[in-house]
Amino acid sequence: MINFFIIKKTKLLNCFGFLCLMFLFSQNTSAQTTVTGIVSDSNGPIPGANVSIKGTKTGVITGFDGNYSIANVPNNAVLIFSFLGLTNKEIAVQGKNNINVVLEENLSNLQEVVVIGYGAQRKEAVTGSVASITGDDLREVPGANITQALQGRIAGVEMTQTSSKPGASMQIRIRGTRSLNASNDPLVVLDGIPFAGSIGDINPTDIKSVDILKDASATAIYGSRGANGVILVTTNKGKKGQKARFTFDNYYGLKSVFARYPMMDGEKFVKLRTAAGIYTNGLDESNTTNTDWQDLFYGTGMVTSNDFGVSGGTENGSYNFGIGHYKDEAVIPGQDYERISLRASVDQEIGRSFRFGITTNNNYSITNGSNLSMYGVLNSSPIANPYNPDGSLKRVIEMPLDQQWVYTRESVENLGDKWINQTRAFGSYNNIYGEVKIPGIEGLKYRANVGLNFRMTDSGSYTGEGVFSATPTTPSTANIGHSLTTNWVLENLLTYDRTFSEKHKINVVGLYSAEQTSFNSSSVSARDIPSDAFQFYNLGHAAGEITINPNDQNYYKSGLMSWMGRAMYSYDNRYMITATVRSDASSRLADGHKWNTYPAVSVGWNVKNESFLKEVGFLDALKLRVGYGETSNQSINPYATLGRLSTRPYNFGTDYAVGYYVSELPNPNLGWEYSSTWNYGLDFSILKNRLSATVEYYVTDTKDILLGVNLPSTSGVTSYTGNIGQSQNKGIEFSLNGVILDNAGGWTWEAGVNFYSNKNKLVALASGQDRDESNWWFVGKPINVIYDYEKIGLWQQGDANLTKYEPGGNAGMIKVKYTGDFNADGSPTRQIGPEDRQVMKVDPDFQGGFNTRVAYKGFDLTAVGAFQSGGILISTLYSSSGYLNMLSGRRGNVDVDYWTPENTDAKYPKPGGIASGDNPKYGSTLGYFDASYLKIRTISLGYNFKQKFIEDAGLQKFRIYCTIQNPFVMFSPYHKESGMDPETNSYGDENAAVTTEYKKRLLTLGTNTPATRNFLIGFNLTF
């Protein structure tokens, strides 16, 4: 089927040149004249309005007085008059020389509807903080899931990369981080039902729109589940009365490495080893050898997407069906992600009062090679020869102290059955609803929603004897894992929606809902598998130890019961108020603390609709908003109120026994974590809606934070979960969208930009303490910080203070900030020590994104970018935790400018100098960089065919496009030094030689799959 469409696509592309020629030679030969006139609206003449001859490129723009003059107009032509925010008007010339036109306000713009949760609302009547983006805009950034497309598109919504592996999702934070141990992830709602799966399970092609609820007055309707914001995903549906419409969307792309990890080549490495003076060459090393290990490992990746759909409707119903296939292959061997998705929706009316429908979204995905990273490639010595004299690959290379398994593309691909790492996941998310209008009461209806959700994952890995190991007899290992999540949701809604005397609009919603989630997972591992052919499929045959670790077996069942009421009232399209009250009961919390009720209210004032502003012609809309709301969070592990018992095996005489001990104390008073938010907003548009903007300021205070509190070892118990601590988030958001050119001579130019700044801090911790050094939490500081020394330079020869601060230190070693006192002679009272560690903010000062679209006739060019300023990027590649910047010559080293007596203004310390373990002393400070960058994420050039023969062929739409993703980065100190993509790619405990140096919550740039630059070509076909 794919080959068929590729052939069809090729034929259509061959027609492209012919179509262009036909377009250039087409012309009207009838009698011509000059037409003049004035274009006005209700406020008078319009400067900058467009006047064009329908079906041609000919057009003019009105002057400051609204006058226009257009020559060479055929007598049988039709003129099109247009201006942004006003309804287009077409008038036949019919020999007339003067045509005056009055354009009317485009009410469809004013009546734009956004999804707000359990309903929809006109955009001009929204009083909370709601941001929207269409599915078409999302698809400007092709990707495996919507997180990649949302990055930088919406103010206040931070999408941060946690992995660069194929199919990975980003970390989502709406208006910052507020909780310490509880989840900070937003709620995802798919077609009205809280989503129980991974966001990567949603095919971006299926999405009609995404609406994001950001403040408490908007999210309160979802209660505790919406404590961290809500992402409402609406998928495509059919339309009543529409004939069957078929769509096929395809793109194919090639992936190349954005930038190689900046490792030393052979010549530089020899100089480093000589300068360090510690090691001599290993058995496989030679000063004349220069091996590019990355070149031997990388290949060209591939990404492809195919989606086929059909939609339509009858007089009383609609339908939509589709199937999609997506595959992403990495540039490193054996690593890929593949997903097959199937969707369907049916809506049907029965009589005048009853509707029902079903929506189902299903997907099956396979992830391969996720345990493969770059560390073994990068730490290999560049002067080691990986080949035997006969040209075959060696199994290992010998370095001065280390042996390293030879990582090349060939060696990995030749493993065959000796290595596999695979995760298979299946998810099914289903929503069934029935809706009935209550007889005798206009505007009153009842609706029942039933959500039935299921997600299962099966993982398995096998590593054969000696594979990836320096020792050929290392036993083979295998493990399997299984998890199953089932979830049901039942919602009962009663809605009353009426308009009275055209000025009074009221919408009231009452809800009662219940949901339950069950989860279980298990894992088994084994050693010494008798045959590679077994892989992980029958661990019972293992000759070695079979392990069932109790910490890897999990089960829970949790429930949530809720009731909610919301009322929205609007008077004369000027004054709006929304009030919500919600009450939730969570099974995760202690008896007597399960229920919590919280209110939210927001008001809006459409100032433009007041009489004193109606005559202000340049102002099209001006709205002020203010809202207050309370939400709560219960996203902790189930059964945290009960404490925990852990097991400890021991010898009891001649028998083996298992003992139990208390590892976590129970807490019978564990309750909700509370957040209250004030939100202030200003929305305006000017120049016939040509320029629109939104400005918002918010403050969120969170108290009774759910926190795992560490206990002293003398207590005999490690921790307990309690409501302890407070935090605060506040920030500002700004979004600006404009139309620079509106069909001016066939040209259209639209642009948008947003930026936002979020500042969070810890206000209080447990027991009144002002710091928790073990968790890197400090009162008055942000939640995400680094607690470490601060590098301020390098010590130089002849500096008399060196031995005072660093006894035994050497010139060229790292110099860190001293925070102690000084003696009368200016000398320090002590040497540098742990008390000199600093608290350093990780989060950026501000961030945002931009997008622009330029169109001319059928062509369009779009670009999407993102930026951030300030903050700290943690690169474990350079820091001591990565063991790739040891500056000792022991094995492969990052290419850095290091100190020597002849190069004293270097950034990095002297090779072979004073060390801490295997790294330079204070080597962790070498991994901190300014996190600023501006990144162009996507550039796309497309053409929409509109020629008559396309219509004659029965096609409604045919578009071809080419896209380059991740083309370049600017204004990044890290990129300037390393050449690499400055986005993070790992959690703090991943992709480094030492995974305990940084807290897991901190995102780092480690030895993960390298970032890529992708080149795509695709088409969209509708018929």
Side-chain angles (χ1 to χ4, degrees):
M1 179 178 176
I2 294 175
N3 291 335
F4 168 78
F5 280 106
I6 291 175
I7 293 170
K8 288 293 185 183
K9 181 171 70 172
T10 304
K11 291 181 177 179
L12 288 168
L13 289 173
N14 290 336
C15 294
F16 180 77
F18 173 74
L19 291 171
C20 292
L21 290 173
M22 292 295 292
F23 182 81
L24 292 172
F25 281 103
S26 62
Q27 54 183 332
N28 195 314
T29 58
S30 58
Q32 299 176 337
T33 187
T34 297
V35 180
T36 61
I38 300 175
V39 180
S40 308
D41 67 358
S42 58
N43 295 316
I46 305 173
N50 297 296
V51 183
S52 60
I53 302 173
K54 187 175 182 179
T56 73
K57 299 178 181 179
T58 305
V60 297
I61 298 175
T62 60
F64 288 103
D65 54 2
N67 283 294
Y68 73 92
S69 177
I70 184 168
N72 301 321
V73 181
N75 287 333
N76 62 349
V78 174
L79 293 182
I80 302 176
F81 300 85
S82 62
F83 191 80
L84 185 67
L86 302 178
T87 302
N88 292 357
K89 185 170 287 189
E90 297 185 7
I91 297 179
V93 175
Q94 297 177 342
K96 295 188 290 287
N97 294 321
N98 184 267
I99 300 177
N100 297 322
V101 175
V102 177
L103 299 180
E104 298 177 351
E105 196 169 42
N106 188 344
L107 295 178
S108 63
N109 289 341
L110 298 177
Q111 300 296 326
E112 183 181 349
V113 173
V114 296
V115 179
I116 57 172
Y118 301 112
Q121 194 174 25
R122 291 175 299 113
K123 188 174 182 179
E124 63 170 348
V126 172
T127 56
S129 181
V130 182
S132 303
I133 186 171
T134 67
D136 290 337
D137 290 338
L138 287 173
R139 286 183 282 276
E140 290 177 356
V141 183
N145 59 73
I146 61 173
T147 59
Q148 297 162 343
L150 283 172
Q151 188 183 28
R153 300 300 295 266
I154 296 178
V157 181
E158 181 184 19
M159 302 284 178
T160 311
Q161 186 172 263
T162 62
S163 175
S164 46
K165 293 182 174 68
S169 298
M170 293 187 173
Q171 175 182 274
I172 308 173
R173 293 291 179 265
I174 297 178
R175 292 187 166 180
T177 300
R178 56 186 62 84
S179 190
L180 300 182
N181 282 155
S183 172
N184 285 285
D185 295 332
L187 171 70
V188 178
V189 176
L190 178 64
D191 290 324
I193 293 293
F195 187 55
S198 164
I199 201 166
D201 292 342
I202 305 174
N203 185 349
T205 305
D206 299 339
I207 295 174
K208 178 183 178 182
S209 66
V210 173
D211 299 88
I212 299 180
L213 314 183
K214 296 189 286 186
D215 74 324
S217 66
T219 65
I221 194 169
Y222 285 103
S224 62
R225 293 175 301 182
N228 301 310
V230 182
I231 299 177
L232 305 173
V233 179
T234 304
T235 58
N236 296 314
K237 303 291 190 298
K239 294 181 180 180
K240 289 196 302 182
Q242 173 188 289
K243 293 182 179 179
R245 185 180 70 172
F246 298 87
T247 60
F248 182 64
D249 301 305
N250 162 270
Y251 64 80
Y252 176 85
L254 298 177
K255 303 167 58 176
S256 62
V257 175
F258 178 85
R260 299 185 178 206
Y261 285 91
M263 306 303 293
M264 287 184 176
D265 61 16
E267 182 180 358
K268 291 180 179 180
F269 184 75
V270 169
K271 292 180 180 179
L272 170 69
R273 181 172 284 180
T274 301
I278 301 175
Y279 300 108
T280 57
N281 290 352
L283 293 179
D284 291 308
E285 293 181 312
S286 166
N287 287 355
T288 60
T289 300
N290 186 15
T291 301
D292 188 335
W293 291 97
Q294 294 183 76
D295 186 60
L296 294 175
F297 199 62
Y298 297 146
T300 300
M302 179 274 292
V303 59
T304 183
S305 176
N306 296 277
D307 287 275
F308 180 78
V310 57
S311 63
T314 62
E315 183 179 351
N316 297 311
S318 63
Y319 60 87
N320 182 291
F321 301 96
I323 186 171
H325 173 261
Y326 176 86
K327 187 171 185 180
D328 187 354
E329 294 180 356
V331 294
I332 67 176
Q335 194 174 91
D336 60 71
Y337 170 80
E338 186 171 14
R339 180 187 63 218
I340 299 173
S341 56
L342 180 68
R343 66 186 184 276
S345 67
V346 176
D347 293 89
Q348 182 65 42
E349 294 180 358
I350 299 178
R352 297 183 178 181
S353 301
F354 184 70
R355 293 177 60 210
F356 75 92
I358 181 171
T359 300
T360 179
N361 289 272
N362 307 273
N363 74 85
Y364 175 71
S365 64
I366 301 175
T367 304
N368 288 308
S370 61
N371 68 340
L372 195 63
S373 71
M374 291 294 300
Y375 182 72
V377 177
L378 302 179
N379 75 2
S380 298
S381 167
I383 61 172
N385 186 352
Y387 295 103
N388 294 307
D390 63 359
S392 62
L393 280 172
K394 297 175 181 176
R395 204 190 71 84
V396 297
I397 54 170
E398 296 274 359
M399 296 180 285
L401 293 184
D402 307 285
Q403 291 182 324
Q404 177 62 61
W405 194 84
V406 172
Y407 281 91
T408 70
R409 193 172 192 87
E410 180 184 352
S411 63
V412 173
E413 290 178 343
N414 287 342
L415 289 175
D417 289 344
K418 291 181 177 294
W419 172 69
I420 184 174
N421 179 270
Q422 186 176 88
T423 300
R424 300 180 298 274
F426 173 74
S428 181
Y429 312 101
N430 308 281
N431 175 17
I432 304 169
Y433 80 89
E435 184 178 281
V436 60
K437 296 179 181 178
I438 306 300
I441 306 177
E442 183 181 350
L444 184 64
K445 60 184 179 182
Y446 166 78
R447 178 180 174 119
N449 293 324
V450 179
L452 301 172
N453 305 304
F454 169 93
R455 192 173 200 270
M456 179 176 65
T457 62
D458 282 293
S459 61
S461 67
Y462 171 72
T463 303
E465 185 180 44
V467 173
F468 304 146
S469 173
T471 305
T473 57
T474 300
S476 58
T477 60
N479 68 70
I480 56 174
H482 171 82
S483 69
L484 174 65
T485 303
T486 58
N487 167 269
W488 61 259
V489 180
L490 175 63
E491 298 177 332
N492 298 273
L493 293 110
L494 196 63
T495 304
Y496 181 69
D497 191 0
R498 284 290 302 277
T499 299
F500 301 94
S501 68
E502 296 185 359
K503 287 191 175 183
H504 303 275
K505 301 179 186 296
I506 185 170
N507 179 282
V508 180
V509 177
L511 171 140
Y512 170 78
S513 70
E515 74 166 274
Q516 180 176 282
T517 301
S518 297
F519 171 82
N520 72 275
S521 66
S522 59
S523 178
V524 181
S525 61
R527 294 169 60 87
D528 200 3
I529 309 302
S531 170
D532 290 331
F534 281 26
Q535 295 190 328
F536 57 78
Y537 292 106
N538 195 336
L539 300 191
H541 284 287
E545 180 183 10
I546 299 176
T547 303
I548 303 177
N549 187 336
N551 293 326
D552 294 333
Q553 325 304 314
N554 295 285
Y555 168 82
Y556 72 79
K557 180 180 289 185
S558 66
L560 191 69
M561 185 180 296
S562 311
W563 63 263
M564 177 275 296
R566 180 184 65 191
M568 298 184 294
Y569 171 73
S570 171
Y571 173 72
D572 197 23
N573 204 24
R574 287 185 289 166
Y575 314 114
M576 296 83 65
I577 183 169
T578 300
T580 306
V581 61
R582 171 116 183 185
S583 188
D584 286 336
S586 172
S587 68
R588 301 187 181 210
L589 303 176
D591 290 338
H593 300 271
K594 294 184 183 296
W595 281 95
N596 181 43
T597 301
Y598 30 86
V601 62
S602 57
V603 296
W605 179 22
N606 276 325
V607 188
K608 168 59 180 175
N609 293 342
E610 298 291 349
S611 58
F612 58 83
L613 282 181
K614 284 190 175 180
E615 301 303 320
V616 181
F618 73 90
L619 184 64
D620 303 300
L622 176 62
K623 181 171 67 175
L624 299 175
R625 295 179 284 111
V626 61
Y628 172 81
E630 298 178 4
T631 57
S632 54
N633 196 346
Q634 47 90 39
S635 297
I636 57 170
N637 293 329
Y639 317 125
T641 61
L642 305 179
R644 180 182 294 272
L645 291 176
S646 296
T647 60
R648 179 64 58 85
Y650 66 99
N651 291 326
F652 186 73
T654 59
D655 297 324
Y656 173 81
V658 175
Y660 294 86
Y661 66 96
V662 178
S663 58
E664 184 175 333
L665 285 176
N667 183 355
N669 297 312
L670 187 64
W672 294 86
E673 175 181 295
Y674 301 98
S675 293
S676 60
T677 299
W678 281 97
N679 188 83
Y680 308 89
L682 168 67
D683 308 308
F684 69 87
S685 62
I686 59 176
L687 304 176
K688 304 302 178 187
N689 295 309
R690 199 154 187 161
L691 189 67
S692 61
T694 294
V695 182
E696 295 193 89
Y697 174 76
Y698 62 89
V699 179
T700 299
D701 291 297
T702 303
K703 62 181 181 179
D704 292 343
I705 287 177
L706 292 164
L707 178 63
V709 182
N710 294 326
L711 296 174
S713 58
T714 54
S715 68
V717 181
T718 57
S719 66
Y720 74 98
T721 301
N723 294 106
I724 297 170
Q726 298 179 42
S727 69
Q728 183 185 77
N729 272 266
K730 57 184 178 180
I732 188 170
E733 301 166 358
F734 177 73
S735 300
L736 179 67
N737 293 283
V739 177
I740 303 169
L741 297 175
D742 180 28
N743 198 25
W747 288 92
T748 300
W749 183 10
E750 303 169 349
V753 64
N754 73 83
F755 73 86
Y756 57 98
S757 176
N758 174 271
K759 309 295 182 186
N760 72 60
K761 66 178 180 179
L762 276 171
V763 179
L765 281 170
S767 304
Q769 61 180 326
D770 62 358
R771 57 175 50 207
D772 179 350
E773 292 187 2
S774 63
N775 285 307
W776 290 9
W777 288 325
F778 303 88
V779 172
K781 301 295 184 179
I783 294 174
N784 293 328
V785 298
I786 296 168
Y787 185 50
D788 199 359
Y789 298 96
E790 180 182 348
K791 177 176 176 288
I792 58 176
L794 301 177
W795 288 102
Q796 299 296 336
Q797 292 278 13
D799 194 326
N801 290 320
L802 172 59
T803 56
K804 298 176 182 178
Y805 288 97
E806 298 284 357
N810 62 268
M813 74 172 290
I814 297 171
K815 184 178 184 179
V816 298
K817 186 176 181 179
Y818 171 72
T819 61
D821 297 325
F822 294 89
N823 297 311
D825 61 357
S827 61
T829 58
R830 58 172 174 79
Q831 66 186 64
I832 298 288
E835 54 269 37
D836 293 304
R837 289 175 293 175
Q838 308 289 307
V839 179
M840 294 173 279
K841 178 175 71 74
V842 172
D843 298 330
D845 298 324
F846 67 86
Q847 54 194 310
F850 57 90
N851 58 277
T852 185
R853 180 180 182 273
V854 179
Y856 179 74
K857 302 303 181 182
F859 292 94
D860 59 78
L861 176 67
T862 62
V864 178
F867 59 85
Q868 69 177 41
S869 176
I872 295 176
L873 171 65
I874 303 171
S875 173
T876 57
L877 186 72
Y878 287 86
S879 79
S880 54
S881 66
Y883 274 65
L884 293 172
N885 196 19
M886 296 186 291
L887 290 169
S888 63
R890 177 175 170 178
R891 49 188 184 231
N893 205 96
V894 180
D895 188 3
V896 296
D897 179 28
Y898 52 82
W899 188 96
T900 65
E902 299 76 34
N903 184 34
T904 58
D905 60 348
K907 177 181 177 181
Y908 293 88
K910 175 184 180 299
I914 186 171
S916 175
D918 290 323
N919 290 280
K921 190 175 183 181
Y922 310 121
S924 59
T925 66
L926 301 176
Y928 305 142
F929 294 81
D930 183 341
S932 302
Y933 68 81
L934 185 151
K935 184 175 182 180
I936 304 299
R937 304 197 64 242
T938 297
I939 300 175
S940 185
L941 175 64
Y943 181 77
N944 294 283
F945 287 86
K946 297 181 180 179
Q947 283 76 7
K948 187 175 183 300
F949 89 92
I950 296 292
E951 298 177 359
D952 293 341
L955 302 179
Q956 298 179 27
K957 175 185 176 182
F958 180 43
R959 167 182 165 81
I960 60 172
Y961 64 91
C962 56
T963 298
I964 178 172
Q965 294 178 312
N966 209 22
F968 51 85
V969 172
M970 298 176 286
F971 311 117
S972 166
Y974 186 76
H975 174 72
K976 182 178 181 181
E977 176 164 341
S978 67
M980 296 179 63
D981 188 330
E983 285 196 73
T984 56
N985 64 15
S986 309
Y987 285 106
D989 60 350
E990 294 180 325
N991 297 303
V994 178
T995 57
T996 56
E997 186 162 337
Y998 301 107
K999 305 306 174 186
K1000 175 181 173 62
R1001 65 180 183 271
L1002 299 178
L1003 300 180
T1004 67
L1005 203 164
T1007 55
N1008 208 337
T1009 304
T1012 61
R1013 182 180 286 114
N1014 307 335
F1015 302 87
L1016 312 177
I1017 184 169
F1019 67 86
N1020 309 115
L1021 187 64
T1022 302
F1023 54 94

